[in-house]
């Protein structure tokens, strides 16, 4: 599969555009045959469609000290997207770089627990909201910190969700970050449209899409890939989570989620996106997430998910920076070529 290059999102296609939209910055904007009947046709034809969104310009300024921005997406819920996002953040932090993780899953925030900071609160200062620190070099922000009770439901319509996501990007004092990991909710909903619009002036590095092997999950991944392409979000690749279970007694592997259509490997070939590897079911990985800890820092060297997770994180960093990470035994990692 080919690699989709990092690129700015200034010409992102509007979410309500017709199929085959040429983009608001194109010289054919509002004039191409695909523009006929589009609600944005008049705006694009006038040249106003190519104008930068003021909110996106504010976000660009606020995130100017962030070197790399990575979205973590999934087509379907329950595939372990937040598990992957949290452990990528933990793994990167183990390399002594500055990491932030932003949870924009407004209705189902998981990061406070998975990062071990669910009893903390967000504080506001003259420079904005201060993120909660899971480690000296690992900052966390989530709506979960703002709930009066952990069991409170967030029942918000789209505009209010968009408003909070904008605040997370413009009012949080992230400081200097090497990586900002953004954990989005599953699907292609209001949160996704908002983040694509707000980040369109930021040269984000791309999206990691998480799936499980079965076709019912892959069906929705294809839609997620389509969404990324339509909104001009670069795709770093797809990782297959919960990919087999290795029995700790006999060592045999069972496909709990049978890859009847060839799994993520075959789907990536069909959709022409990079395959980033697989992560098997590992009880120690799940336990680390429940306890809000770094799996790679505490896991058993022989655990089935250790090496695949290390390889996956190394692949991402190499795609983003050109330099991968070499991990030793759990707790040891270093930058390497």
């Amino acid at each position: 599969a080919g690699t989709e290059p990092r690129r700015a999102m200034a010409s992102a296609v509007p979410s309500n555009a017709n199929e085959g939209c040429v983009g608001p910055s194109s010289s054919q904007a509002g004039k191409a045959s695909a523009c006929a009947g589009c609600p944005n046709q008049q705006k694009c034809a006038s040249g106003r469609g190519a104008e930068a969104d003021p909110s996106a310009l504010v976000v660009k300024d606020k995130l100017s000290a962030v070197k790399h921005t990575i979205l973590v997406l999934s087509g379907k819920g329950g595939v372990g997207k937040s598990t992957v996002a949290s452990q990528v953040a933990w793994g990167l932090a183990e390399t002594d770089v500055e990491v932030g993780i932003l949870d924009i899953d407004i209705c189902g925030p998981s990061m406070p627990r998975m990062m071990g900071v669910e009893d903390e609160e967000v504080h506001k200062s003259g420079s904005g909201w201060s993120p909660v620190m899971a480690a000296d070099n690992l900052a966390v922000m989530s709506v979960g910190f703002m709930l009066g009770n952990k069991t409170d439901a967030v029942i918000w319509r789209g505009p209010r969700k968009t408003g909070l996501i904008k605040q997370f990007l413009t009012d949080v004092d992230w400081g200097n970050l090497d990586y900002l990991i953004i954990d989005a909710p599953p699907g292609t909903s209001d949160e996704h449209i908002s983040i694509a619009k707000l980040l369109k002036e930021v040269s984000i590095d791309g999206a990691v899409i998480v799936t499980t092997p079965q076709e019912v999950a892959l069906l929705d991944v294809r839609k997620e890939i389509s969404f990324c392409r339509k909104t001009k979000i670069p795709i770093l690749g797809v990782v297959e989570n919960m990919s087999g279970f290795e029995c700790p007694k006999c060592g045999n592997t069972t496909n709990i989620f049978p890859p009847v259509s060839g799994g993520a490997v075959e789907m990536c070939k069909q959709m022409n996106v990079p395959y980033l590897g697989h992560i098997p079911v590992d009880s120690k990985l799940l336990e680390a997430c429940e306890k809000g800890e770094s799996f790679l820092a505490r896991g058993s060297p022989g655990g089935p998910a250790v090496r695949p997770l290390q390889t996956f994180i190394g692949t991402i960093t190499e795609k983003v920076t050109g330099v991968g990470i070499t991990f030793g035994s759990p707790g040891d990692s270093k930058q390497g070529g």
Side-chain angles (χ1 to χ4, degrees):
T3 300
E4 303 207 6
R6 176 183 178 181
R7 57 187 181 272
M9 295 167 59
S11 61
V13 174
S15 59
N16 61 342
N18 286 355
E19 191 70 29
C21 175
V22 296
S25 62
S26 169
S27 61
Q28 292 299 306
K31 307 170 187 176
S33 58
C35 301
C38 178
N40 307 294
Q41 184 177 14
Q42 186 175 358
K43 180 179 180 181
C44 289
S46 69
R48 290 181 293 120
E51 295 175 359
D53 183 339
S55 296
L57 292 175
V58 173
V59 171
K60 179 182 179 180
D61 180 65
K62 292 294 291 188
L63 298 184
S64 61
V66 177
K67 293 180 181 178
H68 302 290
T69 304
I70 299 172
L71 299 178
V72 182
L73 308 173
S74 70
K76 186 173 290 296
V79 299
K81 171 188 54 60
S82 294
T83 293
V84 170
S86 65
Q87 292 306 317
V88 166
W90 278 119
L92 289 171
E94 292 290 324
T95 69
D96 295 326
V97 296
E98 298 295 326
V99 183
I101 184 162
L102 171 59
D103 183 359
I104 63 167
D105 192 342
I106 307 299
C107 295
S110 302
M111 283 306 134
R113 182 176 182 87
M114 289 188 167
M115 305 307 293
V117 288
E118 63 177 338
D119 293 326
E120 301 295 328
E121 295 181 356
V122 172
H123 299 284
K124 195 164 187 177
S125 65
S127 57
W129 287 340
S130 298
V132 172
M133 303 304 294
D136 290 341
N137 61 332
L138 180 51
V140 187
M141 179 56 73
S142 169
V143 71
F145 296 128
M146 303 174 185
L147 301 179
N149 189 299
K150 296 175 186 177
T151 61
D152 286 348
V154 179
I155 308 173
W156 291 358
R157 293 185 183 275
R160 193 171 179 189
K161 290 181 180 180
T162 298
L164 181 60
I165 292 171
K166 180 182 176 182
Q167 281 190 284
F168 281 157
L169 293 172
T170 60
D171 293 357
V172 174
D173 183 14
W174 290 106
N176 296 314
L177 292 180
D178 293 290
Y179 295 93
L180 176 62
I181 310 299
I182 301 178
D183 181 39
T188 53
S189 57
D190 291 328
E191 292 91 333
H192 302 80
I193 296 170
S194 298
I195 202 72
K197 182 179 179 181
L198 290 167
L199 291 178
K200 71 178 182 179
E201 296 296 328
V202 177
S203 292
I204 71 168
D205 294 271
V208 170
I209 303 176
V210 183
T211 186
T212 44
Q214 76 275 33
E215 180 60 24
V216 71
L218 296 171
L219 282 170
D220 289 335
V221 170
R222 293 182 179 91
K223 298 170 186 174
E224 200 76 29
I225 292 171
S226 176
F227 171 83
C228 288
R229 287 173 171 163
K230 187 171 183 179
T231 55
K232 298 293 189 289
I233 297 175
I235 300 172
L236 294 175
V238 176
V239 61
E240 186 176 85
N241 192 34
M242 300 187 230
S243 182
F245 170 71
E246 181 181 310
C247 177
K249 299 295 184 181
C250 68
N252 289 332
T253 298
T254 300
N255 288 320
I256 298 175
F257 301 105
V260 295
S261 61
V265 173
E266 187 60 32
M267 188 274 300
C268 286
K269 291 178 183 177
Q270 295 169 357
M271 300 294 291
N272 193 31
V273 296
Y275 174 68
L276 299 177
H278 75 283
I279 303 172
V281 176
D282 189 326
S283 62
K284 296 296 184 182
L285 172 57
L286 305 178
E287 184 179 330
C289 289
E290 283 292 310
K291 293 185 176 181
E293 299 174 349
S294 170
F295 170 66
L296 293 181
R298 72 187 289 276
S300 167
V306 172
R307 185 57 62 186
L309 184 58
Q310 291 173 336
T311 301
F312 166 60
I313 296 174
T315 299
I316 294 174
T317 58
E318 186 169 7
K319 281 179 171 288
V320 168
T321 68
V323 180
I325 295 175
T326 301
F327 288 90
S329 57
D332 297 327
S333 59
K334 62 181 180 179
Q335 297 290 128

